[in-house]
Amino acid sequence: MALGMIEVYGFTTAIIVADKVAKTADVKVVAIDKNKPANGDSAEVPLVMIVKFEGETAEVESALEAGKAEAQKRNLYITSKIISRQSEDIEWFAHLSALGKDKLRKVDKPTNK
Protein backbone atom coordinates (compact mmCIF):
# COMPACT_ATOMS: atom_id res chain seq x y z
CA MET A 1 0.00 0.00 0.00
CA ALA A 2 1.41 3.38 -1.02
CA LEU A 3 0.76 6.74 0.63
CA GLY A 4 0.46 9.93 -1.40
CA MET A 5 0.57 13.40 0.12
CA ILE A 6 -0.07 16.77 -1.53
CA GLU A 7 0.47 19.97 0.44
CA VAL A 8 -1.41 23.08 -0.69
CA TYR A 9 -2.49 26.50 0.51
CA GLY A 10 -6.12 26.83 1.62
CA PHE A 11 -8.98 24.59 2.71
CA THR A 12 -10.91 24.96 -0.53
CA THR A 13 -7.87 23.97 -2.56
CA ALA A 14 -7.44 20.85 -0.40
CA ILE A 15 -11.05 19.80 -1.01
CA ILE A 16 -10.69 20.37 -4.77
CA VAL A 17 -7.42 18.41 -4.84
CA ALA A 18 -8.96 15.56 -2.79
CA ASP A 19 -11.87 15.42 -5.23
CA LYS A 20 -9.51 15.31 -8.22
CA VAL A 21 -7.34 12.61 -6.60
CA ALA A 22 -10.36 10.42 -5.79
CA LYS A 23 -11.84 10.76 -9.28
CA THR A 24 -8.57 10.17 -11.15
CA ALA A 25 -7.43 6.82 -9.76
CA ASP A 26 -8.41 3.94 -7.51
CA VAL A 27 -7.22 5.55 -4.26
CA LYS A 28 -8.83 6.31 -0.93
CA VAL A 29 -8.49 9.75 0.66
CA VAL A 30 -7.59 8.90 4.28
CA ALA A 31 -7.15 12.38 5.79
CA ILE A 32 -7.17 16.08 5.07
CA ASP A 33 -5.00 17.84 7.59
CA LYS A 34 -4.16 21.45 8.40
CA ASN A 35 -1.08 23.28 9.57
CA LYS A 36 -0.74 26.99 10.20
CA PRO A 37 2.84 28.02 9.40
CA ALA A 38 4.83 30.31 11.72
CA ASN A 39 4.38 33.24 9.32
CA GLY A 40 0.74 32.32 8.69
CA ASP A 41 -0.75 35.65 9.65
CA SER A 42 1.42 37.47 7.10
CA ALA A 43 1.04 34.85 4.35
CA GLU A 44 -1.27 35.53 1.42
CA VAL A 45 -3.06 32.26 2.19
CA PRO A 46 -2.46 31.58 5.91
CA LEU A 47 -3.58 27.95 6.04
CA VAL A 48 -1.49 25.04 4.82
CA MET A 49 -3.42 21.83 4.10
CA ILE A 50 -2.27 18.33 3.22
CA VAL A 51 -4.33 15.73 1.37
CA LYS A 52 -3.34 12.13 2.21
CA PHE A 53 -4.44 9.17 0.13
CA GLU A 54 -3.63 5.47 -0.22
CA GLY A 55 -3.71 2.80 -2.90
CA GLU A 56 -1.48 0.74 -5.14
CA THR A 57 1.71 2.60 -6.11
CA ALA A 58 0.77 3.18 -9.77
CA GLU A 59 -2.67 4.46 -8.77
CA VAL A 60 -1.19 6.79 -6.13
CA GLU A 61 1.34 8.13 -8.67
CA SER A 62 -1.43 8.86 -11.17
CA ALA A 63 -3.63 10.51 -8.53
CA LEU A 64 -0.72 12.57 -7.21
CA GLU A 65 0.09 13.99 -10.64
CA ALA A 66 -3.55 14.94 -11.22
CA GLY A 67 -3.93 16.52 -7.77
CA LYS A 68 -0.64 18.37 -8.08
CA ALA A 69 -1.66 19.78 -11.48
CA GLU A 70 -4.99 20.93 -10.00
CA ALA A 71 -3.23 22.86 -7.21
CA GLN A 72 -0.58 24.28 -9.57
CA LYS A 73 -3.34 25.55 -11.85
CA ARG A 74 -4.44 27.76 -8.95
CA ASN A 75 -0.85 28.69 -7.93
CA LEU A 76 -1.51 27.11 -4.51
CA TYR A 77 0.76 24.01 -4.67
CA ILE A 78 3.51 23.61 -2.06
CA THR A 79 4.98 20.08 -2.27
CA SER A 80 4.10 16.41 -2.64
CA LYS A 81 5.51 13.01 -1.73
CA ILE A 82 4.82 9.32 -2.24
CA ILE A 83 5.84 6.63 0.23
CA SER A 84 5.59 3.44 -1.79
CA ARG A 85 5.62 0.91 1.05
CA GLN A 86 4.53 2.53 4.29
CA SER A 87 5.11 0.79 7.62
CA GLU A 88 2.29 0.28 10.13
CA ASP A 89 3.52 3.24 12.18
CA ILE A 90 3.51 5.54 9.15
CA GLU A 91 0.04 4.30 8.18
CA TRP A 92 -1.19 5.19 11.68
CA PHE A 93 0.29 8.70 11.42
CA ALA A 94 -1.09 9.16 7.92
CA HIS A 95 -4.61 8.71 9.23
CA LEU A 96 -4.21 11.32 11.96
CA SER A 97 -5.91 14.62 11.34
CA ALA A 98 -5.55 17.96 13.17
CA LEU A 99 -9.13 18.69 12.12
CA GLY A 100 -10.23 16.90 15.30
CA LYS A 101 -13.52 15.06 15.14
CA ASP A 102 -13.79 15.62 11.40
CA LYS A 103 -11.64 12.55 10.70
CA LEU A 104 -12.50 10.55 7.61
CA ARG A 105 -11.61 7.29 9.34
CA LYS A 106 -10.75 6.37 12.92
CA VAL A 107 -7.58 4.30 13.21
CA ASP A 108 -6.28 2.74 16.41
CA LYS A 109 -2.58 3.14 17.14
CA PRO A 110 -0.73 -0.12 16.39
CA THR A 111 0.56 -2.08 19.35
CA ASN A 112 4.07 -3.48 19.49
CA LYS A 113 3.93 -7.25 19.19
Side-chain angles (χ1 to χ4, degrees):
M1 181 77 60
L3 171 67
M5 298 170 283
I6 303 173
E7 195 171 52
V8 299
Y9 289 110
F11 181 77
T12 303
T13 306
I15 297 300
I16 291 167
V17 167
D19 181 59
K20 186 69 167 185
V21 160
K23 290 178 178 174
T24 298
D26 186 18
V27 297
K28 181 176 182 178
V29 175
V30 295
I32 298 174
D33 209 355
K34 68 178 180 171
N35 178 30
K36 185 173 180 182
N39 69 340
D41 292 333
S42 63
E44 186 175 329
V45 180
L47 187 63
V48 173
M49 302 291 296
I50 187 163
V51 178
K52 304 172 194 174
F53 48 98
E54 295 175 329
E56 296 302 320
T57 301
E59 297 290 328
V60 169
E61 288 172 350
S62 176
L64 185 128
E65 289 306 315
K68 179 180 171 179
E70 195 66 33
Q72 286 174 328
K73 183 166 73 173
R74 293 167 168 71
N75 293 321
L76 296 170
Y77 171 78
I78 300 171
T79 191
S80 57
K81 179 72 178 165
I82 294 176
I83 298 175
S84 57
R85 287 179 286 140
Q86 60 182 326
S87 70
E88 286 183 26
D89 289 338
I90 294 299
E91 182 177 0
W92 180 78
F93 279 113
H95 290 251
L96 288 178
S97 174
L99 297 178
K101 298 180 194 254
D102 297 332
K103 293 179 186 174
L104 296 177
R105 180 178 118 180
K106 182 182 182 311
V107 176
D108 295 326
K109 185 175 181 179
T111 58
N112 292 337
K113 297 177 184 175

